[in-house]
């Protein structure tokens, strides 16, 4: 599915760079789509590359749930494995990937109000070598994150119309 820019009537986003620092940052988008749509897009691991242009391929050994494991192949860099470290169905979940002497944690959460769903994607580098990875990857990830979120929003709204 090609990427589209959702109309401003259905999406509320405010920045072009994720807020925070290179080691801890987040971005939120509010979309006029049910939370189940955003959640189902997040749960479809093999579909992640369609809305995240930094990912070449992604897979999981089964459905995402606490303890589930998977693999991400970035367009640049080395493939990495991840594990789901927290999971609250249809509300919030987090994955963690081990890096050399560091960890990358991605937390995704949903809030619904007045027929709008706000979804947030937070990224955190931690551990001994976290500052190295934050400086290497953080700036690129922070710039890419708003577009990633807009592409996900476009899928949520397109799927809603189908």
């Amino acid at each position: 599915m090609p990427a589209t820019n959702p109309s401003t009537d259905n999406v509320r986003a405010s920045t072009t760079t994720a807020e925070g620092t290179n080691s801890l940052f987040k971005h939120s988008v509010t979309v006029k789509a049910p939370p189940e749509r955003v959640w189902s897009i997040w749960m479809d691991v093999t579909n992640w590359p369609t809305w995240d242009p930094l990912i070449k391929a992604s897979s999981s050994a089964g459905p995402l749930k606490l303890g589930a494991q998977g693999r991400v192949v970035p367009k640049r860099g080395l493939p990495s494995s991840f594990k789901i470290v927290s999971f609250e169905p249809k509300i919030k979940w987090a994955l963690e990937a081990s890096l050399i002497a560091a960890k990358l944690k991605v937390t995704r959460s949903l809030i619904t109000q007045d027929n709008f769903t706000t979804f947030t994607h937070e990224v955190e580098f931690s551990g001994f070598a976290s500052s190295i990875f934050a400086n290497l990857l953080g700036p690129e990830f922070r710039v890419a994150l708003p577009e990633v979120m807009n592409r996900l929003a476009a899928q949520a709204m397109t799927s809603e119309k189908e």
Side-chain angles (χ1 to χ4, degrees):
M1 180 183 312
T4 60
N5 285 327
S7 79
T8 55
D9 291 342
N10 294 320
V11 176
R12 298 178 196 152
S14 58
T15 62
T16 57
T17 302
E19 66 182 71
T21 66
N22 289 339
S23 61
L24 176 61
F25 54 92
K26 68 181 178 177
H27 187 73
S28 297
V29 171
T30 301
V31 63
K32 192 170 186 175
E36 296 82 9
R37 271 306 305 138
V38 176
W39 188 263
S40 69
I41 293 168
W42 276 343
M43 295 295 103
D44 186 358
V45 178
T46 58
N47 189 50
W48 291 356
T50 66
W51 50 266
D52 189 334
L54 299 179
I55 297 176
K56 182 178 179 180
S58 52
S59 61
S60 64
L64 293 187
K65 60 183 181 181
L66 188 62
Q69 297 184 20
R71 185 169 175 83
V72 172
V73 179
K75 288 195 175 168
R76 292 182 348 164
L78 299 172
S80 62
S81 297
F82 66 83
K83 181 177 181 178
I84 304 300
V85 294
S86 70
F87 195 84
E88 298 174 54
K90 299 181 181 175
I91 297 171
K92 183 178 186 177
W93 64 280
L95 65 81
E96 199 169 80
S98 291
L99 306 170
I100 300 168
K103 291 190 184 289
L104 167 67
K105 184 176 183 181
V106 174
T107 304
R108 295 175 174 158
S109 59
L110 294 170
I111 298 172
T112 304
Q113 183 177 6
D114 299 328
N115 296 321
F116 284 90
T117 300
T118 299
F119 56 102
T120 301
H121 183 118
E122 181 178 280
V123 177
E124 179 179 14
F125 293 97
S126 63
F128 180 74
S130 62
S131 63
I132 294 169
F133 287 100
N135 289 327
L136 285 173
L137 302 174
E140 179 182 13
F141 287 5
R142 286 182 67 204
V143 169
L145 189 53
E147 177 60 22
V148 167
M149 303 282 285
N150 286 336
R151 290 172 65 143
L152 192 152
Q155 278 195 22
M157 289 186 311
T158 300
S159 297
E160 186 65 11
K161 294 174 188 172
E162 294 173 354

